[in-house]
Amino acid sequence: PRSGTVVSTNSTPEAHLVTSQTHTYDLQSAEFFANPHPTLDRMRRETPVYWHPELKMWFFTRHADVQMIGRDPRFSVERTHEFVKGAAPEVQEQAEAVMRFFSLWCLMNDPPRHTRVRSLIANAFTPRTVGLLRPLIQRIVDERLAAVA
């Protein structure tokens, strides 16, 4: 999980985990889907551990918290589909496509699927293999930068 990660449990929030519930965030609006960074930055400052009562999901926006829950089996990243259920109608189709895409990511799966997928791709990301890709990656980046310069 990365900062800004959505995770959820079937449990309700425990008071000692929630820093403040006086803040509300419109996490299903077209504006949020177009640019989530201002909202996530605000959440990180005001309510870094946030329970969304309608989505029944925790939102963790600080790296240290994301690291902690990533190792805690009580939390799951496989319920991110809940996030799109109440999305604004004008972004519903895009939100569902994003969630289908994310569901294929190793990071968006819990063990044992995460472990199986990670073991399959681990050899593709050894320092030697990544080093062999460096010239190709450099060429692509140079071409893209030249195209926008």
Side-chain angles (χ1 to χ4, degrees):
R2 299 276 186 240
S3 192
T5 296
V6 177
V7 295
S8 59
T9 69
N10 289 326
S11 64
T12 57
E14 296 175 17
H16 68 277
L17 290 176
V18 181
T19 58
S20 172
Q21 282 306 134
T22 60
H23 299 92
T24 57
Y25 306 97
D26 189 356
L27 304 179
Q28 297 175 309
S29 68
E31 293 82 17
F32 179 78
F33 278 92
N35 183 9
H37 302 293
T39 302
L40 292 173
D41 288 342
R42 186 173 148 229
M43 289 173 75
R44 195 172 294 110
R45 284 188 317 273
E46 298 173 357
T47 317
V49 177
Y50 178 72
W51 172 257
H52 194 293
E54 293 168 8
L55 296 174
K56 295 181 176 57
M57 288 186 173
W58 289 100
F59 289 79
F60 293 79
T61 58
R62 293 182 303 201
H63 185 265
D65 295 328
V66 172
Q67 291 291 315
M68 182 265 312
I69 61 166
R71 292 171 176 82
D72 189 327
R74 295 175 297 172
F75 292 93
S76 172
V77 295
E78 288 186 0
R79 291 185 57 220
T80 55
H81 64 280
E82 298 286 335
F83 186 64
V84 301
K85 281 185 178 176
E90 62 269 22
V91 297
Q92 186 70 42
E93 188 176 326
Q94 295 94 328
E96 290 172 2
V98 168
M99 288 300 114
R100 281 191 305 275
F101 178 71
F102 282 158
S103 73
L104 301 174
W105 291 15
C106 182
L107 291 174
M108 300 307 285
N109 288 282
D110 293 326
R113 184 167 188 240
H114 170 90
T115 308
R116 183 182 59 80
V117 172
R118 183 176 177 188
S119 68
L120 292 172
I121 63 173
N123 290 335
F125 293 99
T126 64
R128 180 181 179 281
T129 305
V130 172
L132 293 172
L133 293 172
R134 185 178 183 92
L136 173 64
I137 294 168
Q138 188 66 55
R139 181 180 58 79
I140 292 170
V141 169
D142 291 344
E143 289 172 2
R144 299 298 185 264
L145 289 175
V148 296

